[in-house]
Amino acid sequence: MDMEEKPKYGEPKKFDPDFKGPIQNRGCTDIVCCIFFIVAIVGYVAVGILAWTHGDPRKVIYPTDSMGLYCGQGKLEKQPLLFYFNMMKCASPMVLLEFQCPTPQVCVEKCPDRTMTLVTAVGKTQDWEYYKSYCRADPGTKSVPQILQEKLCPAYLISSKPFLQRCFPSLGKKGEVITVGDQETFNDGDKIRDAKDLVAGMKNATIVMEGRQVAMKIFEDYTKSWYWILICLLIAVVVSLIFIVLLRYLAGIMVWVMIVMVIAVFAYGIVHCSIKYVNLKDTPGANITLQQLGFQPDFSVYLHIRQTWLAFIIILAILEVIIIIVLIFLRNRIRIAVELMKEASRAVGYVMSSLFYPIFTFFLLTIVIAYWGVTAVFLSTSSEPVYKVFNETVCPHARETCIPENFTLSNMKRDCPRSECLFAFYGGETPYHKYLIFLQFYNVFLFFWCANFVTALGQMTLAGAFASYYWAPNKPNDMPAFPLCASLGRSLRYHTGSLAFGSLILAIVQIIRVLLEYIDHKLKGAENKFAKFLLCCLKCCFWCLEKFIKFMNRNAYIMVAIYGKNFCRSARDAFFLLMRNVIRVVVLDKVTDFILFLGKLLIVGLVGIFAFFFFSGHTDAFKGAAPSLHYYWVPILTVLVGSYLIAHGFFSVYAMCVDTLFLCFLEDLERNDGSPERPYLMSENLLNVLKKKNQAN
């Protein structure tokens, strides 16, 4: 007799009269991974302590003089500004490689406000006292040639202004001629030079700080608008809460209202952009292309270009058409999705504390992100100052490493009398500094692992609480007194290893994606088309793999929360269950995700429109209240991102509830048949939509 063929995706669930929700008698799962995770965390703490011991964040905040001392700190507290002896030396291309000008630099109390040379200053007592405040050391009674040879003082001073804690010459213009002060020339102590000779040095000295300048303007915008940003985010919280409450009592109506409002918001966006596009038709300069304009940090510049509004119209129109087409084809499935949403609303109503659980997850994620950020800063600033030989003439020891204390008596100084041992950059040759890159890699990897663990803990906790609702025969009498706390306790006590296992798999894929992005960044200037194509394919594959693993992990955590099995077995059971109901998964589960996404989109759209009209100053009603900003897109983008995260936090509870109830719903259809002995546990409305019913006793 032939053996019975085994089902391709496992046996369907059998009826169990004793099963009433998450199993209470369970054991610890994936213990080896739990131990491995604890050891990794201990190592992470050790890396943090090591970084905090060696690191010094002042290296990225304060300018550094030629001896590696911080301006404005310690004994130089009253000298917060950096002064360059010879700004024209900064024109060297090496500045862009070593981020340090090959000229002596000292910390000063204020920038010079006079233009004079060392030769003229020495002859006048008052000028000499002023001049000496810009010297590296008191020259005493040394002669001018000796002072210049030992580089104790600059050959000249130029009237300067502070910029990013550094003194830069006060250049101006007379017509097309560049001037310093009111003069077109200046004396550098050796000969008369044109003021324009300073430009190249200033450009190289500032190119490494241009990003910091933009960052400072953005920071200034935040200081002016932070309270308005908080008000907008508070509005997002209130709107999200209103949506959640309305979903609790009016789930069916709210789903259709959300769909209609999202379509209306996109339609309004298309109309608004079309009006702007038409109004700019005859405006001078409005027909320039975005490619011709290039990158501009001031976002408002793009709003005066017709092509910008045309791009907005096309994007919004495409999204509008996609949403309408999806709704037309899935209109019947939306009815089942609405019933699932109603069931989820009832579950959230019985476990109201679940709405506040994202705050706990957000708190843990904040700790993880803060620890990673602080450790990364301390690791990146834990190198030692490196000094190199700088010389004005040809020197065999140029750019070699040197020690300032011993340099005067060294062979380098003897071979190159006019050379100087100056601070170049931060580095180090100790074993700690050699393996610094591996510590940074470990920091990033543990960040991904811990962040995924925190997210997984939230998913398993919510899954356990909502599963206890679904499988309770008599709701809420058969539910635990505190379902959320009970589920959190089970997750931490029994399944830390399973959470760590799933998080580890996801972290490995994410770190590979980071490495691929790093390689892609390094190959940007490469001409090898095949390498670029291969890298693009790898990035696409690992992006898809990450999405699949996130989906499988989420369902595996639900099964772990219900049955208490290890991660691999739970992932297999979840996969087989979903494959046995693949049509329902593809259509029904994704429709509910789409509806929840529309809800997030609607909240972000409403708050974003308000933020745009407020911060841009395009509305007369807000012109008096809106702060004056460098880039008004900074608070708008912050509000958009913040609103999405807030909406995502609230709707993630619903999403997890829907996913949990969906798996329970699929198992309910397999375990039970509607007979008095095996009644369905789903709601009557859901039974009616599925055209099923429970038979009377």
Side-chain angles (χ1 to χ4, degrees), residues 21-43:
I23 295 171
Q24 302 300 317
N25 298 324
R26 57 178 72 197
C28 295
T29 57
D30 300 299
I31 298 174
V32 174
C33 198
C34 179
I35 296 172
F36 186 45
F37 182 61
I38 292 172
V39 171
I41 292 295
V42 172

Side-chain angles (χ1 to χ4, degrees), residues 462-499:
L462 291 171
F466 293 130
S468 65
Y469 159 81
Y470 188 94
W471 293 111
N474 299 309
K475 306 174 179 61
N477 298 330
D478 292 336
M479 290 175 61
F482 301 100
L484 195 68
C485 294
S487 181
L488 177 61
R490 286 195 303 270
S491 300
L492 289 174
R493 181 180 177 184
Y494 298 110
H495 306 302
T496 299
S498 297
L499 293 169

Side-chain angles (χ1 to χ4, degrees), residues 46-122:
V47 169
I49 294 172
L50 194 64
W52 299 337
T53 303
H54 291 80
D56 190 350
R58 293 180 301 176
K59 294 173 184 175
V60 295
I61 300 174
Y62 301 102
T64 310
D65 69 5
S66 296
M67 301 308 295
L69 300 175
Y70 307 115
C71 298
Q73 294 292 299
K75 63 180 182 180
L76 300 178
E77 184 179 0
K78 294 183 179 179
Q79 286 117 7
L81 303 172
L82 186 68
F83 173 73
Y84 299 90
F85 270 29
N86 187 351
M87 176 61 68
M88 288 183 292
K89 296 293 181 184
C90 296
S92 168
M94 293 303 296
V95 174
L96 303 180
L97 298 177
E98 298 180 346
F99 301 102
Q100 194 77 357
C101 293
T103 183
Q105 298 156 53
V106 294
C107 299
V108 296
E109 185 176 353
K110 60 180 181 178
C111 296
D113 54 6
R114 312 176 196 176
T115 299
M116 63 178 74
T117 63
L118 175 63
V119 176
T120 58
V122 169

